[in-house]
Amino acid sequence: MVTLQPTPHLVLRTDSGSRRLPLAGSNCWTIGRSEDNNFVLPDRWISRNHAMLQCMETGEFYLIDLGSRNGSFVNGRRVSIPVTLHNGDRLTFGQTDLDFYCPTLNPPADSAAGSDSKEFTATATLHVRRLISVLVVDIRDFTVLTRQLDEKVLSEVIGTWFRHAGDIIREYGSWVDKYIGDAVMAIWIHGPQGVNDDEMLRIFRALNALHKMTSDLYNLYPLPFPLRIGAGINTGYAMVGNTGSGDRPDYTALGDTVNAAFRLETSTKQIGLDIAVGETTYQHLTNMEITSIDLFRNYTVHLKGYDMPTVAHACSFPDLETFLQMKSRE
């Protein structure tokens, strides 16, 4: 006899009883007061777009706070970065508690030591070397925005941006690997045959959609200035797998390919353009035999942590739009 595993779900506990909230039919669920969330919680201490649960390809679940005013808590600890959930974790938003259940996930390795234990198990080892492309996208002038915008509006804006960014990246075949402050990192894992044209174009189309979505926020919210993003894209080999402590495992990619993507994004501020790509990414673009590849101009940049100067290939978002339009006419 086959025993079916229960569907992952949340249990909302109220004075009138408990309610089961299934985590099914998607890989991303938003939580907040606004009616456009998957789970609407009528708690005045909860932000309109408060938090998000994301199921990774590995079956792990992440909790991501969406810049909420009063924070998100896991087992009584406030989380400022995305964390991996374990079966039985207690989630708190405002004055509302929910229990997370996913029997296929093991409880934290140190659960017997109590919730206040600071002893973690050894770091898991990375186990697969894969060819990947890394996209890092950062909101420009975010610090200035936080000083000029009401906290409530800021929470809504950033929550909306994170949510739409996740939707766009999933639409184009990846997932948000990291939410870091006002930035996101996504990775595309390529097959043993290498990078094909469709995969590379999918990354740049995702970036173009992210740019348009970010620009549109100026029409939706009372912002002091239009929002802009900068981006770095790098292609190369990295170790991909589970890392982090047994308490908080993390499926991610690590290595120079990832580090360089972050540095390339930062270099766009030095260059004064929107997008910077690494040499390998650029070579895949040139292999498409597009004469307009001159849209990407070459710059010598000094990346933090690198001894030697690096060549970055950079362009603006109008350049990218022209590039994609030419591809669509082929």
Side-chain angles (χ1 to χ4, degrees):
M1 179 178 178
V2 178
T3 301
L4 298 178
Q5 291 287 355
T7 302
H9 61 280
L10 300 172
V11 173
L12 172 63
R13 303 191 184 283
T14 65
D15 293 338
S16 57
S18 299
R19 183 157 62 101
R20 191 173 184 272
L21 307 176
L23 298 170
S26 179
N27 62 356
C28 182
W29 302 265
T30 56
I31 299 167
R33 285 189 295 108
S34 176
E35 293 294 330
D36 62 353
N37 289 287
N38 299 102
F39 301 130
V40 180
L41 302 179
D43 180 339
R44 68 188 183 93
W45 298 102
I46 292 177
S47 299
R48 291 175 59 85
N49 299 106
H50 195 103
M52 177 168 63
L53 288 171
Q54 183 172 354
C55 181
M56 311 302 284
E57 292 183 344
T58 59
E60 294 175 313
F61 281 80
Y62 273 75
L63 172 68
I64 302 116
D65 183 81
L66 296 177
S68 66
R69 183 169 185 175
N70 293 315
S72 300
F73 297 79
V74 177
N75 299 325
R77 297 177 180 176
R78 184 165 184 164
V79 297
S80 57
I81 60 173
V83 296
T84 310
L85 296 178
H86 299 91
N87 185 41
D89 278 347
R90 170 66 60 89
L91 314 183
T92 303
F93 311 110
Q95 296 185 349
T96 301
D97 290 328
L98 300 99
D99 294 323
F100 170 77
Y101 290 105
C102 183
T104 59
L105 299 177
N106 293 325
D110 65 342
S111 59
S115 61
D116 293 330
S117 173
K118 296 182 180 180
E119 296 298 324
F120 300 126
T121 59
T123 298
T125 57
L126 297 167
H127 57 273
V128 181
R129 186 172 184 264
R130 299 292 297 272
L131 178 63
I132 66 171
S133 289
V134 183
L135 169 65
V136 176
V137 179
D138 173 81
I139 299 177
R140 289 285 185 263
D141 301 319
F142 182 74
T143 302
V144 177
L145 186 69
T146 60
R147 293 171 180 168
Q148 298 184 18
L149 205 59
D150 176 79
E151 286 185 349
K152 180 179 179 181
V153 177
L154 180 66
S155 176
E156 291 186 33
V157 171
I158 298 306
T160 300
W161 187 80
F162 277 139
R163 185 168 66 255
H164 289 337
D167 290 342
I168 290 168
I169 289 169
R170 283 190 297 275
E171 179 184 350
Y172 286 93
S174 182
W175 70 94
V176 175
D177 181 271
K178 289 284 183 294
Y179 293 84
I180 309 167
D182 56 339
V184 296
M185 164 187 155
I187 63 174
W188 279 258
I189 300 177
H190 305 296
Q193 292 77 28
V195 185
N196 62 49
D197 291 357
D198 287 341
E199 288 176 330
M200 190 57 68
L201 284 173
R202 198 178 303 136
I203 297 169
F204 282 92
R205 285 178 175 135
L207 177 55
N208 196 45
L210 289 167
H211 160 65
K212 291 180 178 179
M213 177 273 291
T214 304
S215 299
D216 288 344
L217 292 179
Y218 187 68
N219 300 319
L220 299 176
Y221 296 97
L223 301 177
F225 50 82
L227 288 187
R228 299 184 304 114
I229 57 174
I233 302 175
N234 198 36
T235 302
Y237 283 90
M239 298 303 291
V240 179
N242 285 311
T243 184
S245 67
D247 170 70
R248 286 289 178 253
D250 183 17
Y251 188 79
T252 188
L254 293 177
D256 185 65
T257 297
V258 177
N259 296 337
F262 280 91
R263 303 308 186 203
L264 286 166
E265 186 280 318
T266 300
S267 76
T268 60
K269 300 169 186 176
Q270 306 171 24
I271 297 170
L273 289 172
D274 303 314
I275 306 159
V277 306
E279 185 64 31
T280 304
T281 305
Y282 180 75
Q283 288 303 319
H284 284 295
L285 293 172
T286 59
N287 291 340
M288 295 181 191
E289 298 180 354
I290 303 174
T291 56
S292 63
I293 204 69
D294 291 341
L295 290 171
F296 292 86
R297 297 176 286 281
N298 298 348
Y299 295 86
T300 300
V301 295
H302 294 270
L303 302 183
K304 184 178 179 181
Y306 291 79
D307 296 332
M308 301 296 292
T310 302
V311 175
H313 306 271
C315 71
S316 66
F317 278 112
D319 292 337
L320 177 60
E321 180 74 22
T322 301
F323 171 79
L324 294 176
Q325 287 177 353
M326 293 185 67
K327 285 302 298 178
S328 65
R329 290 197 293 267
E330 289 186 351

